[in-house]
């Protein structure tokens, strides 16, 4: 396709100026020389990764909770570094439990301190195995997975209360896959992410996403809500918002958890670590983030801590964690059926596919999806793929 062909066609509409929409827009604008309009109902780009300088302290705040970039894929790491300089950052979380403060993820130091032992890696494996429930076959839920692989003591100290606060239900009601994402290590590695590449953009995520969107073929409109009736003015629509919202909640809203924060300002150092989780059910909040610790290359006399609370999302709330309980998945199947009938409309990203996705997965999927779309367009093929990945 030559430049004149691309510019004279109807523009492409991308709904959402987070990582999914921004990466897709950039790839299409660059490789197909197409006009792309990106809209977002918020007044900023970068979605829930939005960062901004706090006017009172100068600290870079992660407005929707902390985001630490990590990935195994060299192409994804190369892509984000094309648009921003990353500072080195290792995510070392601490857990405030009823028995003291320990390192997360659970590692050899955690095990030895928690049980008052001096176990070797092999000894710790054997010790933990002796405390696990051998009668559980294939775990069917979060609690069964914990009892099978961690044992009751670690489960109740680190995960039961925290999970109940985070998700608003008993852990046995949640899928085992949630806990499978959290590692247990039988060495002294306390890096939360076991990835080849890890860091945080020095100028923040919003600058990074804005630079991805900075292309002459891309127009960005913020504070703009999507109207399905406007589809006729575009050759294609790539939608990264909530799939139930696309259909005006026709089958009912999908369940999400949302987050709220209480800000605490202080002089010096508030807690000595970027993130501390509070695992006891008796403590009403789930985590405290101290934002200046996410930029160890900076120095600030003041500090800002955010005390985090979790609750079910209501209409108009920001959506963070898809609950994906049985009623949600039943509704999702109905939305997928009607979404499959939408002509020249494609769904990608965490909200559109109703999945929990870290940033690196969002970017990787957008790059892969864009590559497939670009290849089809260059070869003159039909592109009818509705979703970046299966939502079920």
């Amino acid at each position: 396709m030559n430049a004149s062909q691309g510019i004279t066609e109807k523009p492409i509409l991308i709904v959402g100026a987070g990582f999914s929409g921004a990466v897709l827009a950039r790839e299409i604008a660059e490789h197909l020389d197409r006009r792309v309009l990106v809209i977002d109902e918020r007044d900023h780009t970068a979605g829930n990764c939005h960062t901004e300088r706090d006017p009172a302290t100068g600290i870079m705040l992660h407005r929707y909770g902390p985001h630490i970039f990590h990935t195994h894929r060299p192409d994804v790491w190369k892509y984000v570094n094309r648009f921003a300089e990353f500072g080195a950052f290792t995510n070392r979380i601490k857990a405030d439990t009823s028995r003291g403060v320990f390192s997360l993820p659970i590692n050899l130091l955690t095990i030895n301190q928690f049980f008052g032992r001096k176990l070797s890696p092999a000894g710790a494996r054997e010790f933990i195995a002796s405390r696990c429930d051998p009668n559980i076959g294939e775990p069917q839920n979060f609690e069964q997975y914990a009892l099978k692989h961690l044992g009751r003591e670690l489960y109740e100290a680190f995960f039961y209360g925290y999970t109940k606060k985070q998700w608003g239900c008993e852990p046995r009601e949640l899928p085992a896959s949630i806990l499978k994402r959290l590692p247990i290590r039988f060495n002294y590695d306390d890096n939360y992410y076991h990835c080849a590449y890890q860091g945080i953009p020095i100028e923040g995520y919003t600058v990074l996403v804005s630079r991805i969107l900075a292309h002459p073929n891309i127009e960005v409109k913020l504070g703009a809500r999507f109207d399905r009736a406007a589809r006729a003015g575009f050759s294609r629509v790539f939608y990264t918002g909530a799939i139930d919202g696309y259909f005006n909640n026709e089958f009912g809203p999908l369940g999400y958890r949302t987050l709220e924060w209480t800000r605490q300002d202080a002089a010096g150092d508030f807690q000595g670590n970027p993130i501390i989780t509070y695992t006891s059910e008796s403590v009403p909040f789930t985590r405290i983030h101290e934002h200046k610790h996410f930029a160890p290359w900076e120095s600030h006399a003041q500090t800002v801590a955010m005390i985090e609370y979790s609750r079910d999302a209501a209409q108009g709330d920001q959506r963070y964690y898809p609950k994906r309980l049985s009623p949600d998945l039943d509704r999702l199947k109905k939305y997928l059926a009607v979404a499959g009938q939408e002509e020249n409309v494609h769904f990608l990203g965490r909200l559109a596919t109703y999945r929990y996705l870290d940033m690196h997965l969002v970017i990787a999927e957008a790059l892969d999806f864009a590559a497939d779309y670009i290849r089809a367009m260059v070869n003159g093929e039909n592109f009818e793929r509705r979703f970046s990945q299966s939502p079920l």
Side-chain angles (χ1 to χ4, degrees), residues 6-18:
I7 296 299
T8 56
E9 291 184 10
K10 286 183 179 179
I12 288 171
L13 176 64
I14 295 179
V15 181

Side-chain angles (χ1 to χ4, degrees), residues 111-122:
I111 294 167
N112 279 329
Q113 289 182 333
F114 185 83
F115 291 105
R117 302 294 181 107
K118 293 183 179 181
L119 298 168
S120 67

Side-chain angles (χ1 to χ4, degrees), residues 281-293:
E281 191 177 357
S282 59
V283 178
F285 49 87
T286 54
R287 304 190 294 180
I288 297 180
H289 319 132
E290 189 169 0
H291 286 247
K292 74 176 182 180
H293 292 309

Side-chain angles (χ1 to χ4, degrees), residues 365-387:
E365 283 194 10
L367 286 171
D368 295 342
F369 193 70
D372 290 343
Y373 174 68
I374 291 166
R375 188 180 304 112
M377 295 300 100
V378 169
N379 294 332
E381 301 169 352
N382 289 330
F383 186 79
E384 298 181 355
R385 185 173 159 194
R386 289 287 178 262
F387 298 94

Side-chain angles (χ1 to χ4, degrees), residues 143-355:
E143 183 167 277
Q144 286 185 358
Y145 187 89
L147 295 177
K148 180 180 176 66
H149 294 283
L150 298 173
R152 184 166 296 278
E153 292 153 304
L154 291 176
Y155 166 56
E156 292 184 348
F158 287 90
F159 297 110
Y160 175 76
Y162 180 86
T163 303
K164 193 171 180 180
K165 292 187 294 184
Q166 178 78 343
W167 293 96
C169 63
E170 288 292 331
R172 71 177 69 95
E173 300 176 54
L174 298 169
S177 59
I178 293 176
L179 188 55
K180 288 179 182 179
R181 294 198 301 261
L182 306 178
I184 177 171
R185 300 198 181 109
F186 294 98
N187 58 28
Y188 289 104
D189 181 8
D190 64 350
N191 184 351
Y192 195 80
Y193 301 117
H194 192 61
C195 288
Y197 310 101
Q198 185 175 176
I200 293 177
I202 290 175
E203 296 179 84
Y205 289 102
T206 301
V207 169
L208 165 59
V209 173
S210 296
R211 287 175 179 166
I212 295 174
L213 289 166
H215 189 279
N217 284 346
I218 299 175
E219 179 185 1
V220 179
K221 289 185 178 180
L222 301 176
R225 295 184 64 87
F226 172 64
D227 182 357
R228 287 175 66 195
R231 289 172 296 173
F234 301 92
S235 60
R236 285 184 190 267
V237 175
F238 294 92
Y239 183 84
T240 73
I243 189 170
D244 50 349
Y246 180 90
F247 294 103
N248 298 315
N249 294 325
E250 179 181 349
F251 305 113
L254 297 172
Y256 280 88
R257 297 291 284 178
T258 193
L259 302 174
E260 295 178 336
W261 293 273
T262 299
R263 175 169 170 157
Q264 183 74 52
D265 286 48
D269 197 337
F270 184 82
Q271 64 181 12
N273 203 63
I275 303 173
I276 297 182
T277 66
Y278 287 78
T279 66
S280 298
E281 191 177 357
S282 59
V283 178
F285 49 87
T286 54
R287 304 190 294 180
I288 297 180
H289 319 132
E290 189 169 0
H291 286 247
K292 74 176 182 180
H293 292 309
F294 294 113
W297 48 85
E298 297 181 358
S299 179
H300 299 277
Q302 297 297 111
T303 194
V304 177
M306 295 291 190
I307 304 170
E308 181 178 295
Y309 299 82
S310 178
R311 62 172 174 80
D312 278 347
Q315 187 71 24
D317 286 332
Q318 296 298 335
R319 302 176 176 197
Y320 290 90
Y321 305 107
K323 295 179 71 173
R324 294 181 67 89
L325 301 179
S326 294
D328 299 311
L329 295 180
D330 289 341
R331 292 189 192 98
L332 178 61
K333 291 175 183 176
K334 296 178 181 178
Y335 285 119
L336 297 184
V338 292
Q341 300 172 17
E342 294 288 289
E343 186 175 356
N344 291 329
V345 179
H346 312 275
F347 300 84
L348 72 157
R350 65 179 188 91
L351 293 174
T353 59
Y354 193 54
R355 293 175 299 147

Side-chain angles (χ1 to χ4, degrees), residues 5-170:
Q5 286 177 316
I7 296 299
T8 56
E9 291 184 10
K10 286 183 179 179
I12 288 171
L13 176 64
I14 295 179
V15 181
F19 271 116
S20 284
V23 171
L24 182 64
R26 182 70 181 222
E27 294 299 290
I28 291 173
E30 278 193 350
H31 298 290
L32 293 179
D33 198 19
R34 292 292 307 278
R35 290 180 298 149
V36 181
L37 172 64
V38 179
I39 66 171
D40 199 296
E41 64 184 10
R42 300 192 220 187
D43 62 359
H44 59 76
T45 62
N48 283 358
C49 297
H50 173 56
T51 50
E52 62 184 6
R53 289 283 176 193
D54 178 47
T57 64
I59 294 169
M60 183 69 77
L61 298 182
H62 298 221
R63 282 297 182 187
Y64 300 94
H67 288 81
I68 296 96
F69 193 87
H70 58 283
T71 183
H72 283 299
R73 283 182 49 165
D75 62 327
V76 173
W77 183 243
K78 182 179 179 181
Y79 188 85
V80 294
N81 276 268
R82 174 185 166 191
F83 299 100
E85 179 184 358
F86 276 68
F89 183 87
T90 300
N91 193 22
R92 293 186 169 95
I93 297 176
K94 307 304 177 193
D96 182 301
T97 78
S98 60
R99 289 174 54 170
V101 178
F102 302 93
S103 291
L104 276 181
I106 292 174
N107 59 72
L108 189 54
L109 180 61
T110 312
I111 294 167
N112 279 329
Q113 289 182 333
F114 185 83
F115 291 105
R117 302 294 181 107
K118 293 183 179 181
L119 298 168
S120 67
R125 286 182 183 275
E126 184 177 346
F127 178 79
I128 294 300
S130 72
R131 290 174 130 69
C132 296
D133 189 340
N135 299 313
I136 298 174
E138 183 63 28
Q140 299 302 305
N141 58 55
F142 185 107
E143 183 167 277
Q144 286 185 358
Y145 187 89
L147 295 177
K148 180 180 176 66
H149 294 283
L150 298 173
R152 184 166 296 278
E153 292 153 304
L154 291 176
Y155 166 56
E156 292 184 348
F158 287 90
F159 297 110
Y160 175 76
Y162 180 86
T163 303
K164 193 171 180 180
K165 292 187 294 184
Q166 178 78 343
W167 293 96
C169 63
E170 288 292 331

